[in-house]
Amino acid sequence: MTEPRLPMIVLCAPEHTEVLAEQFSRYEREYDVRVELLKQLLQKVHEDPFPSTTMLDQIEELLTPDEVPAYARILLAKVEDENFPSTSMIQRIAALT
Protein backbone atom coordinates (compact mmCIF):
# COMPACT_ATOMS: atom_id res chain seq x y z
CA MET A 1 0.00 0.00 0.00
CA THR A 2 1.31 3.46 -0.84
CA GLU A 3 1.54 6.37 1.58
CA PRO A 4 -1.64 8.42 1.58
CA ARG A 5 -1.40 11.75 -0.20
CA LEU A 6 -2.58 14.73 1.76
CA PRO A 7 -4.61 17.45 0.08
CA MET A 8 -2.98 20.84 -0.25
CA ILE A 9 -4.43 24.33 -0.44
CA VAL A 10 -2.29 27.02 -2.05
CA LEU A 11 -2.95 30.63 -1.07
CA CYS A 12 -2.09 33.39 -3.51
CA ALA A 13 -2.93 36.92 -2.43
CA PRO A 14 -0.97 40.16 -2.69
CA GLU A 15 -2.63 41.63 0.42
CA HIS A 16 -3.74 40.32 3.80
CA THR A 17 -1.88 37.05 3.45
CA GLU A 18 -1.69 36.65 7.22
CA VAL A 19 -5.50 36.77 7.50
CA LEU A 20 -5.92 34.18 4.76
CA ALA A 21 -3.27 31.94 6.28
CA GLU A 22 -4.96 32.14 9.69
CA GLN A 23 -8.38 31.31 8.24
CA PHE A 24 -7.11 28.35 6.25
CA SER A 25 -5.09 26.97 9.15
CA ARG A 26 -8.31 27.05 11.18
CA TYR A 27 -10.00 25.10 8.39
CA GLU A 28 -7.19 22.55 8.47
CA ARG A 29 -7.58 22.10 12.24
CA GLU A 30 -11.36 21.78 12.09
CA TYR A 31 -11.75 19.57 9.04
CA ASP A 32 -9.54 16.75 7.85
CA VAL A 33 -10.51 16.18 4.23
CA ARG A 34 -8.82 12.78 4.06
CA VAL A 35 -10.72 11.50 7.09
CA GLU A 36 -14.05 12.83 5.85
CA LEU A 37 -13.60 11.44 2.35
CA LEU A 38 -12.55 8.07 3.74
CA LYS A 39 -15.56 7.99 6.04
CA GLN A 40 -17.93 8.71 3.13
CA LEU A 41 -16.33 6.09 0.88
CA LEU A 42 -16.36 3.43 3.61
CA GLN A 43 -20.04 4.08 4.20
CA LYS A 44 -20.78 3.68 0.49
CA VAL A 45 -18.80 0.43 0.32
CA HIS A 46 -20.64 -0.85 3.39
CA GLU A 47 -24.02 -0.13 1.74
CA ASP A 48 -23.15 -1.32 -1.78
CA PRO A 49 -23.28 -5.09 -2.30
CA PHE A 50 -20.80 -4.80 -5.20
CA PRO A 51 -18.58 -1.73 -4.69
CA SER A 52 -16.48 -0.59 -7.63
CA THR A 53 -12.81 -1.41 -7.79
CA THR A 54 -12.14 2.29 -8.38
CA MET A 55 -13.75 3.16 -5.05
CA LEU A 56 -11.88 0.38 -3.25
CA ASP A 57 -8.59 1.49 -4.80
CA GLN A 58 -9.22 5.07 -3.65
CA ILE A 59 -9.99 3.89 -0.12
CA GLU A 60 -6.77 1.90 -0.01
CA GLU A 61 -4.79 4.98 -1.04
CA LEU A 62 -6.39 6.97 1.80
CA LEU A 63 -6.03 4.36 4.55
CA THR A 64 -3.53 4.69 7.36
CA PRO A 65 -2.31 1.47 9.04
CA ASP A 66 -4.64 2.10 12.00
CA GLU A 67 -7.67 2.20 9.67
CA VAL A 68 -6.97 -1.07 7.84
CA PRO A 69 -8.77 -3.36 10.35
CA ALA A 70 -12.08 -1.47 10.03
CA TYR A 71 -11.81 -1.60 6.24
CA ALA A 72 -10.97 -5.31 6.34
CA ARG A 73 -14.07 -5.97 8.48
CA ILE A 74 -16.27 -4.25 5.87
CA LEU A 75 -14.79 -6.36 3.07
CA LEU A 76 -14.93 -9.58 5.10
CA ALA A 77 -18.63 -9.00 5.72
CA LYS A 78 -19.14 -8.85 1.94
CA VAL A 79 -17.37 -12.20 1.48
CA GLU A 80 -19.35 -13.72 4.33
CA ASP A 81 -22.67 -12.64 2.77
CA GLU A 82 -21.95 -14.27 -0.60
CA ASN A 83 -22.24 -17.94 -1.53
CA PHE A 84 -19.65 -17.38 -4.25
CA PRO A 85 -17.52 -14.38 -3.28
CA SER A 86 -15.42 -12.83 -6.00
CA THR A 87 -11.84 -13.92 -6.31
CA SER A 88 -10.73 -10.31 -6.64
CA MET A 89 -12.40 -9.43 -3.31
CA ILE A 90 -10.68 -12.36 -1.58
CA GLN A 91 -7.33 -11.30 -3.09
CA ARG A 92 -7.92 -7.69 -2.03
CA ILE A 93 -8.56 -8.77 1.57
CA ALA A 94 -5.51 -11.07 1.57
CA ALA A 95 -3.36 -8.16 0.35
CA LEU A 96 -4.30 -6.16 3.46
CA THR A 97 -2.34 -8.54 5.71
Side-chain angles (χ1 to χ4, degrees):
M1 223 178 316
T2 61
E3 271 303 302
R5 293 178 294 180
L6 300 176
M8 181 185 304
I9 297 173
V10 177
L11 301 176
C12 298
E15 299 174 346
H16 308 293
T17 56
E18 67 284 345
V19 174
L20 287 172
E22 178 187 333
Q23 291 301 313
F24 277 96
S25 69
R26 189 191 81 205
Y27 171 81
E28 181 181 39
R29 288 189 307 270
E30 294 175 359
Y31 189 81
D32 186 336
V33 175
R34 185 198 66 81
V35 170
E36 291 301 317
L37 176 58
L38 181 60
K39 186 171 26 171
Q40 292 296 318
L41 292 175
L42 288 173
Q43 183 63 37
K44 289 183 182 305
V45 167
H46 175 72
E47 294 168 356
D48 188 344
F50 305 106
S52 73
T53 57
T54 303
M55 193 179 311
L56 297 175
D57 290 344
Q58 183 64 59
I59 288 171
E60 290 167 13
E61 285 185 31
L62 293 169
L63 287 173
T64 63
D66 291 342
E67 296 161 333
V68 170
Y71 175 59
R73 283 192 294 277
I74 292 170
L75 298 185
L76 285 167
K78 298 210 171 293
V79 169
E80 183 180 311
D81 292 344
E82 293 295 320
N83 289 331
F84 304 102
S86 76
T87 306
S88 62
M89 183 64 78
I90 293 169
Q91 291 170 342
R92 188 177 290 273
I93 295 167
L96 295 173
T97 60

